[in-house]
Amino acid sequence: GEDVEQSLFLSVREGDSSVINCTYTDSSSTYLYWYKQEPGAGLQLLTYIFSNMDMKQDQRLTVLLNKKDKHLSLRIADTQTGDSAIYFCAESKGSAGNKLTFGGGTRVLVKP
Amino acid sequence: GAVVSQHPSWVICKSGTSVKIECRSLDFQATTMFWYRQFPKQSLMLMATSNEGSKATYEQGVEKDKFLINHASLTLSTLTVTSAHPEDSSFYICSASGLALREQYFGPGTRLTVT
């Protein structure tokens, strides 16, 4: 079945880069997503990548996809205290109308 | 961007009562809506998928008679937790997608506490 895994926790100093890793098992995944969740709030879509892409950059965010190893990463450059949150990766097949399978979430703590 | 709202944002109810949670797409037509629940410090678990005008598709292990989902219009879906029990206490999050949209947009969530 589908499985998405992430490390539980990441601590980083303000101004450094953060790298959050995710692995998935379903090779038929079409879209891979990164969401951010702040305490008591819903999910905010940060970025997504289509499975035929290797990399996508959007301002401070860089997504790398290694389809062979089924490995996805999110790099946040110049990490700020406002980046402290839980980050979820997720995968889906096909369009946005298809269900998402989420990883367990990585709690990122940015220290000043 | 597309906006999804949920109401109420938090609710406390007594055991045995029913609670209705609304999910609205404010600026787009949501052909598909999803309902998730999230326990503290855990990931989101999909409960059901609903398409406008048809019955919801429930994930394995989710009781459809307990969690009633209605998606009667392109901008509104409701989740009713019937005969709520303390173990139903959770954070319920909806998301919505439309035909022209590439991603799902999430509501802010509803925290349900059953006493």
Side-chain angles (χ1 to χ4, degrees):
Chain A
E2 303 154 356
D3 194 18
V4 182
E5 293 190 358
Q6 302 175 234
S7 53
L8 288 177
F9 183 74
L10 174 67
S11 179
V12 62
R13 290 209 175 277
E14 188 175 16
D16 289 348
S17 293
S18 310
V19 179
I20 307 168
N21 294 300
C22 173
T23 58
Y24 60 99
T25 58
D26 193 340
S27 57
S28 64
S29 299
T30 308
Y31 289 96
L32 294 132
Y33 303 84
W34 283 104
Y35 286 89
K36 176 183 180 182
Q37 185 180 35
E38 298 188 47
L43 272 67
Q44 173 195 355
L45 177 65
L46 292 177
T47 187
Y48 65 90
I49 189 168
F50 190 54
S51 60
N52 68 353
M53 298 169 64
D54 297 325
M55 187 186 86
K56 181 178 180 182
Q57 187 163 1
D58 183 4
Q59 298 182 334
R60 293 192 296 124
L61 305 178
T62 303
V63 179
L64 295 178
L65 174 60
N66 182 326
K67 196 173 180 182
K68 174 177 171 289
D69 293 338
K70 299 188 188 70
H71 182 267
L72 180 75
S73 68
L74 174 69
R75 179 176 179 271
I76 306 173
D78 187 24
T79 312
Q80 304 297 307
T81 54
D83 295 324
S84 292
I86 301 175
Y87 291 79
F88 291 96
C89 68
E91 64 88 24
S92 75
K93 285 168 271 297
S95 68
N98 290 356
K99 70 176 185 178
L100 293 167
T101 300
F102 285 88
T106 299
R107 185 177 296 272
V108 173
L109 176 63
V110 182
K111 296 181 179 179
Chain B
V3 179
V4 176
S5 70
Q6 281 185 243
H7 177 80
S9 55
W10 59 271
V11 58
I12 302 172
C13 71
K14 291 187 185 297
S15 187
T17 61
S18 295
V19 175
K20 180 183 283 188
I21 303 170
E22 293 185 349
C23 176
R24 292 183 185 273
S25 58
L26 299 185
D27 52 2
F28 68 98
Q29 294 186 325
T31 50
T32 306
M33 285 184 169
F34 303 84
W35 285 96
Y36 299 84
R37 65 186 301 181
Q38 184 182 30
F39 291 107
K41 298 185 179 180
Q42 293 189 25
S43 187
L44 281 75
M45 299 300 297
L46 179 67
M47 299 175 66
T49 303
S50 73
N51 292 298
E52 185 266 339
S54 58
K55 290 184 180 180
T57 302
Y58 289 80
E59 294 298 299
Q60 192 172 6
V62 178
E63 300 175 59
K64 58 183 176 182
D65 294 330
K66 180 169 182 61
F67 299 99
L68 301 178
I69 291 172
N70 183 285
H71 190 171
S73 79
L74 284 170
T75 58
L76 174 64
S77 176
T78 60
L79 167 67
T80 302
V81 183
T82 62
S83 186
H85 290 285
E87 56 265 31
D88 298 324
S89 298
S90 188
F91 194 51
Y92 292 87
I93 304 176
C94 72
S95 70
S97 67
L99 284 176
L101 300 176
R102 188 164 293 188
E103 60 256 19
Q104 296 177 25
Y105 292 88
F106 283 79
T110 297
R111 183 162 303 283
L112 170 63
T113 302
V114 184
T115 61

